[in-house]
Every structure is written in C-alpha cells, then in structure tokens.
Amino acid sequence: MTIKLTGGKIYDPANGIDGEIRDIYVRDGRIVAGTPDTPITQEFDVKGKVVMAGAIDPHTHIGGGKVNIGRMMLPEDHSKDPVAHTALTRAGSGHAVPSTLLAGYRYAEMGYTACFEPAMLPANARQAHLEMGDTPMVDKGAFAMLGSDDFLLRMMAEKADFEQIKDYIAWTMHASQAIAVKVVNPGGISAFKFNQRKLDLDEANVYYGVTPRDILLTLSRGLVELGVTHPLHVHGCNLGIPGNVETTLATIRATDGLPLHLTHIQFHSYATEGDRHFSSGAVQVAEMLKKYPNISVDVGQVLFGATCTASGDSMRQYTGAKNADPKRWVVMDIECDAGCGVVPFRYRDKSYVHALMWAIGLETFLLCEDPWRIFLTTDHPNGAPFYTYPHLIRLLMDRSFRKEMMLKVNPDALKYSTLPSLEREYSLYEVAIMTRAGPARSLGLKDIGHLGAGASADITVYTDNADREAMFTTPDYVFKSGELVVRSGKIVKVVNGATHVARPEYDRSGIEKSLKSYFDRYHTVRMENFRLSDDEIIEGGRGQIVIQPTKARTQ
C-alpha cells in the first residue's frame, strides 16, 4: 500500500527543504522515494498546504508522580476540558494537568507525534513509563534525574574512580529505561534536606562537600564519554530568583566546551535593575549563547492563566508555595533520589512580575539567532499547558499581534525588557526547526523529525493561514507511522507510539556489586525490582522500544 501526498509546500529543515513544492510517498509506515508513475493506493491532495514532520515536544511533564499529585490536588481542573467516552476515544479530562489519554489526544490534534518527559526519578521510573504507555498517539521517552541522589554524591565525595561513576550513570539509564539524563538544581534537592535554603554554583552541599559545578561537569563529561546523544539536560541553580542570570552565565562559562542543554531558560534569566530589583537578563543570555555553540536551550514560556507548577526542585517549590493559587501545595522527599514540589499557580497579565516573565521568554526566542539550539516549550505545565503552543507560535511569527498583546500586560514590566523594540518574526522554516528538526537532532532521533526517505511517516499538514494560531491549532491531517490519525483537528484513529531509550555500554558486574549492598542497606526496594524490564513497557500492545545508538568516546 502506497500513500501519496501531492503538491504540498514542504518544510523539512533536516534535509534543507524550505517551502518547496514536492510530493511525499509513504509505504509500510515509512517515507519512500517515489516517481510520478509509482502505483498509488490512496492520494491526498495537499496543494497549497504546509507539510512538516510531526512535531516533537522535548520537555513536557506527562508522566511520573508529580503529575499525578497535581491531578489529585486540583479536582476542579478536571471540569475544564472533559472528553466523553466514544466509540473511538476513551474519557479524559484536565486543563493544567490533563489525564494521560487526553494529553495524547490533544497533542495529536495539534500535530505533535512525539513527547519527552524530562524529569523521571529512577525510583519512580515504573510509574512514569506506565503513565507514558497509557498516553496514546505519540512516541515518548524520559530523562533520568541524577545529581541529588545519595549514591552519586557519596561517590563524588569519596572521589571514586570516574569509570565507576560512568558505570553508575549508564546503569541508571538502563534500569530506568531513559533516553537522557537530567539534573535539577544540582545538589540542591539534597542540600534542602540538610536545611540549606539556597545553593549557588560554587557553594558546597553542607553534608557531601560537593558543589553544583562539580556535579554538572561530572555528569556532562560522563554522558559525553558514554556516547549519549542528548547533552546533560540542566535545570540550573536559583530558579526564579532575581539576579539568577549571573548564575546562568557562570554555568555556561563553566562548561569548558562540554555540551549542556539549559532547560526552561526563561526562569533562569532574571536581572535586578529598577526599583523592584527585577528585570530581564535575556540580552546577556542571548549574547552568551552566540559565544558558546556547545549550549542549547528551551525556553519554558510563561503564558497567562491558571496552571500547575510541578518540579523536582523541592528547594525552589518550597519557597514558591506561599504564592499557590489555589492555596494548596505539596513538597516531599522521594527515597534517596531527589524530591518533588507541586504548587498550583495563576499567571496574571497585570502583574509586574508575571508580565516580565512573559516578556523575557519572548525576548529569548527573538534574540537567539540559531533556531537549531532553541526549542519551543512552556515547560508544561509550569509556564502554561502545552496546548497553548499555537498561541505562542503566533506571538513569534506575527509582530503586529505581539504588539497588540503587549498593550494588555503591565506596562511597567516592559520598561525592563527589550521586547517592545524587537521586530523579528519567525518563519515557517524556523518554526519547523524549533519544533521538529532541532529537538530530533538534539535527542538523536534518526527516524522522526524529518521527511526524508526512510523516516517514519509522522507527517502534519496545515492550511497556510495568516492567523498562525488558528493554523497550528487545527491541522488538516496528521499521520502517525503512515496511518491517518487526525483529520481537520479531530482524532480519527487511536494508535500507540514507541518508547525511545538509550543504552550506553558499561561494566554491569562491577557497579552492581556496590549497588546491591547500597540498596540492601538504604532503599525500600530491592535492586532487582528497581530495574524496569522491556516487557513492562510494551505489554498490552503499548508499542515498541526504539534504542537510540550510542558510541563510547573520550573527551
């Protein structure tokens, strides 16, 4: 069976195609080379329409304990977007923290075909993968959290052999079925348990004597030498604190050429100018990114309305709990791994602080010149729910609309941002980089994020509409592995996506000897039960496992 999409305007940055009129041929779930005389089973006339690969969200909280806590804390959230049980779809609900089923439906209806959970505690990996497995329509993967876990900090404090540390990183990725590694407030979650209420880049954890800089360099070097494609995914120190841009700049300078991905950079780009001692540091961050090509970022854009912040950064969530709206919050410890904080929140356009956060995110997008190193996220649900992406894309592509929106926010905030002076408008090609080709390259996804021969046929087709929000809200067609799953923005077939993992080589016997005695002494689960099997991920027809290639190398 061969499907043909005829005459679309193709935006495929991975293959250098910028709005060219081409046909796309699909056979057995993959894009294939074709000619005008290729026998066609089914044809879709997409003349004049915009054709891109399925979109990829590289940072969205869709699985794990904190998401479930958010669902339980906000019963009123479930009444805002209910979906009834039909012959095709199952019931779901939720606005800021949608249910697993609804998250999959809503992503697909926007043209997304892959999503990655960025903060999976290894101790909670089984639940995270079960939730992701229950999320239909999209491929998924998860980043294992390290950097505040007791075992790593003990090894660093004892100056363990670096090969052993690498083995522990790799063992954790295998055990938790992760595609990458994330560090959240490096060492800070642990330090909070010892009554430290802040931890800057070169400030030592009072118990282990290890600094965030030490942790960042150790984990980043380990991943490079293990051959993991995605750089260390970094939620840095001092999130949300005025003046934290200096810590962010220092973190970038500290990399010594090692690759890092700085996540939700908006929350780490605050300066201290003005009477309120709160201003934008986006210009400094953008200038630094020009000088350090080893750094990539996603933004974590704030958009106005009710949401729920959910983070492993218990230190910062504890501080922010006083601003909870409604007045409920949870901050908790999880085994010896890390912590968790869930705080409902409402961003208000008339608030000076919230308006400035909104402006800083947009500044960051518009000032960063290389779209291959900046990805479109709201840090769902921390900055806003993911289905606000079409609105965000319009803000970036439509200067007049952006200026119209600026008239609605606190005017004092804009005085401490360069946003009013920025005229840039993103192109469709740049949007395709930020939402498809860039995340795919960063994560090492060879089969998705592009439309070349051999790629999985994850394809989204849009009507080219000057109202970019309307355009990206309701695609004409979405294909998942060659199957039509969305027509005119509505689900027409429910499918399951693959789970992407990375499995770097390591000395299993050596590290497991140390880990076995550690688990027996300190953990509430046996080491053998800590590991997550392949069968647990794919049972019940939840889709296949795709192993991303790794190649061990030296720095």
Side-chain angles (χ1 to χ4, degrees), residues 50-218:
V50 169
V51 182
M52 297 181 181
I56 300 168
D57 192 337
H59 186 108
T60 175
H61 297 284
I62 57 170
K66 60 187 174 301
V67 180
N68 261 342
I69 293 170
R71 293 174 183 136
M72 290 187 291
M73 283 176 59
L74 296 169
E76 64 270 39
D77 186 66
H78 300 294
S79 65
K80 294 179 180 177
D81 194 10
V83 172
H85 184 97
T86 70
L88 184 63
T89 60
R90 291 159 59 193
S93 65
H95 175 80
V97 278
S99 64
T100 53
L101 297 165
L102 187 60
Y105 301 152
R106 290 291 183 253
Y107 262 118
E109 288 169 349
M110 279 195 320
Y112 276 74
T113 56
C115 305
F116 291 84
E117 163 58 57
M120 174 179 65
L121 291 179
N124 195 36
R126 184 166 281 103
Q127 178 186 340
H129 278 287
L130 287 171
E131 287 194 50
M132 289 188 291
D134 201 43
T135 303
M137 315 302 291
V138 292
D139 284 14
K140 43 263 181 183
F143 309 161
M145 282 177 59
L146 290 174
S148 274
D149 52 302
D150 178 62
F151 192 81
L152 174 68
L153 294 176
R154 283 172 183 262
M155 283 198 297
M156 292 183 64
E158 295 165 3
K159 302 191 183 307
D161 181 78
F162 191 68
E163 290 302 310
Q164 186 181 21
I165 291 176
K166 284 166 53 180
D167 287 343
Y168 173 59
I169 296 170
W171 183 91
T172 303
M173 293 186 69
H174 280 251
S176 63
Q177 300 274 18
I179 188 175
V181 170
K182 183 183 184 183
V183 59
V184 173
N185 190 354
I189 305 169
S190 168
F192 180 73
K193 301 174 188 180
F194 295 98
N195 292 318
Q196 286 180 269
R197 292 297 177 256
K198 69 177 185 65
L199 195 68
D200 213 342
L201 186 64
D202 291 305
E203 186 175 355
N205 182 300
V206 294
Y207 184 78
Y208 300 95
V210 175
T211 69
R213 183 191 296 263
D214 298 332
I215 295 166
L216 291 172
L217 293 178
T218 296

Side-chain angles (χ1 to χ4, degrees), residues 396-475:
L396 298 176
M397 296 191 72
D398 187 338
R399 182 173 60 243
S400 297
F401 177 70
R402 190 165 66 235
K403 291 184 180 297
E404 180 184 334
M405 292 298 101
M406 278 188 258
L407 296 175
K408 299 181 179 182
V409 307
N410 186 306
D412 292 336
L414 297 179
K415 296 175 184 177
Y416 293 96
S417 161
T418 63
L419 182 63
S421 67
L422 299 178
E423 300 294 318
R424 180 182 176 187
E425 293 179 318
Y426 267 74
S427 67
L428 284 170
Y429 189 73
E430 289 173 319
V431 168
I433 294 172
M434 280 200 308
T435 59
R436 275 93 171 163
R441 185 171 76 175
S442 179
L443 287 162
L445 309 173
K446 303 300 184 184
D447 290 348
I448 61 177
H450 71 97
L451 298 173
S456 178
D458 290 6
I459 306 168
T460 304
V461 179
Y462 304 98
T463 294
D464 195 351
N465 188 339
D467 182 344
R468 298 306 192 189
E469 184 170 352
M471 171 180 167
F472 283 96
T473 297
T474 310

